[in-house]
Amino acid sequence: MLRLLGGADLSIARLFEGHVNAIALVCRYGTPSQAERLAEDVAGGALSAVWGADDASGLKVVGDGAHTRLEGRKILASGAGFVTRPLVAAKSGDRQFMFLLRLATDHPVDLGGWTAQGMRSSATGTVELTGTSVGEAEAIGGADDFTRQPFFSGGAWRFCAAHLGAMERLVELYRDHLNSRGRGDDPYQLQRVAGCVAAVRTARFWVEEAARRFGDDEAGGEAIVGFANMTRMVTERCALDVIEAVQRGVGLAAFIRPSPLERIGRDLSTYLRQPAPDRAMSEAARAWLQSRTAVGEF
Ligand SMILES: Cc1cc2nc3c(=O)[nH]c(=O)nc-3n(C[C@H](O)[C@H](O)[C@H](O)COP(=O)(O)OP(=O)(O)OC[C@H]3O[C@@H](n4cnc5c(N)ncnc54)[C@H](O)[C@@H]3O)c2cc1C
């Protein structure tokens, strides 16, 4: 699903990814009645999301008992203005907690700062949450469940799947372009086409295996996290190679609206920017160095 949505529209894929991530977290760490209430809202059309990113002050839990509330805001929150059941991460001291909120449809959001090159229609913005009451009903799981492994890093396969779908679409549009212009016999174009097909297929093998491990109860936590981190690195490299090859192979037409090549290139370049890619790559390398696993089994 994520791959197919990524091929159609990466902003929709981003919203869907956040929605299913929130539902998975509520199912994993929430109570059955919290999951049921969310399911009812979703059946009624509500959209969820995971809003984790913070500004320098961060979102905090303040007060206690019946007066516990949030102080601060969330930044880079996708679906701002559309999502009514977001799952937010907030700090109490140095521990992090999750709260599943219920926002009014007219809850104020600020999309003014979302001037990114791509992913414009993901409605990624800032949401002020100061004063929002939170209690047992909203709290999902316990301290630091949000970043509990292997689920936190292992779930990276989901955005990689969306990126993969966009890559596939770029390469198919490149084929259409070459065939319609009668440029498919050119050896340089053929070399680029071969590289693109190999890059897309490589990414797909990695993403499928990362997803398979994530869903495999027998797979060890380290194997899931290490593989997901490597998958991030491979998918990003493949996507950057595909974007470059398609833009060089199509030329200026790939930069002119309303060509889908223009939109997908812009959206994919933006959405590829995920948190701490260097750390993901180096942690995977370190995990393998410190293991005795045969490289072909890592
Ligand atoms: C379209 C879109 C929608 C999004 N929606 C949401 C959302 O709904 N909810 C949400 O929580 N977030 C969302 N985000 C934010 C996303 O999860 C990441 O926080 C964001 O994309 C991080 O990008 P960055 O390039 O600034 O990352 P960084 O982690 O700042 O990485 C930038 C560079 O700095 C390096 N780096 C990182 N840390 C260090 C360090 N300590 N020292 C030195 N170098 C470092 C990295 O390896 C990389 O090279 C969204 C992002 C996008 C693009």
Side-chain angles (χ1 to χ4, degrees):
M1 291 275 292
L2 283 158
R3 189 171 61 82
L4 295 176
L5 286 173
D9 187 311
L10 274 177
S11 289
I12 304 269
R14 165 82 275 274
L15 295 174
F16 182 72
E17 194 279 326
H19 180 76
V20 293
N21 188 19
I23 289 171
L25 285 164
V26 172
C27 291
R28 179 166 295 120
Y29 298 115
T31 63
S33 69
Q34 286 173 323
E36 266 167 39
R37 274 200 300 278
L38 179 58
E40 280 165 20
D41 290 344
V42 168
L47 192 61
S48 193
V50 178
W51 293 345
D54 280 313
D55 59 12
S57 315
L59 184 66
K60 295 191 187 72
V61 186
V62 296
D64 51 26
H67 303 293
T68 309
R69 60 196 189 282
L70 298 176
E71 192 177 278
R73 56 191 197 147
K74 280 292 162 192
I75 61 165
L76 293 174
S78 287
F82 300 94
V83 167
T84 52
R85 297 287 269 138
L87 187 68
V88 301
K91 284 250 168 129
S92 175
D94 56 2
R95 312 302 299 273
Q96 197 172 35
F97 293 86
M98 285 183 280
F99 298 100
L100 181 63
L101 306 181
R102 185 181 295 281
L103 299 183
T105 45
D106 61 352
H107 187 95
V109 302
D110 180 4
L111 294 173
W114 188 236
T115 54
Q117 180 192 34
M119 301 296 283
R120 299 290 287 274
S121 45
S122 63
T124 298
T126 300
V127 184
E128 180 61 54
L129 293 169
T130 299
T132 308
S133 292
V134 284
E136 249 179 51
E138 288 80 21
I140 302 293
D144 300 327
D145 276 344
F146 180 53
T147 49
R148 199 165 299 288
Q149 299 291 19
F151 309 107
F152 183 63
S153 300
W157 72 266
R158 290 188 305 268
F159 65 71
C160 291
H163 298 167
L164 169 62
M167 261 184 253
E168 289 177 340
R169 181 107 163 86
L170 274 182
V171 175
E172 283 165 9
L173 288 164
Y174 180 30
R175 176 174 61 186
D176 293 347
H177 169 88
L178 290 178
N179 288 338
S180 67
R181 292 282 201 96
R183 291 183 167 183
D185 280 335
D186 178 72
Y188 300 106
Q189 296 285 14
L190 288 170
Q191 186 179 28
R192 268 192 288 268
V193 168
C196 283
V197 172
V200 164
R201 214 57 186 90
T202 299
R204 183 154 174 186
F205 284 132
W206 277 83
V207 174
E208 283 181 347
E209 174 64 7
R212 196 193 59 71
R213 285 196 195 194
F214 189 82
D216 179 358
D217 294 337
E218 310 283 302
E222 280 181 16
I224 293 172
V225 171
F227 200 87
N229 281 336
M230 291 288 288
T231 300
R232 280 185 61 174
M233 180 189 80
V234 173
T235 309
E236 184 197 7
R237 185 67 264 156
C238 290
L240 291 170
D241 288 347
V242 163
I243 292 169
E244 183 189 359
V246 170
Q247 289 179 343
R248 293 192 78 212
V250 172
L252 186 59
F255 294 83
I256 296 181
R257 291 178 188 149
S259 165
L261 285 162
E262 187 275 338
R263 172 180 56 82
I264 298 167
R266 192 159 39 85
D267 283 348
L268 183 55
S269 301
T270 304
Y271 193 11
L272 276 180
R273 294 302 121 226
Q274 291 295 319
D278 300 336
R279 193 172 65 219
M281 174 276 297
S282 54
E283 280 181 0
R286 199 170 289 119
W288 184 74
L289 268 182
Q290 291 169 355
S291 78
R292 297 181 149 269
T293 312
V295 67
E297 304 298 324
F298 183 65

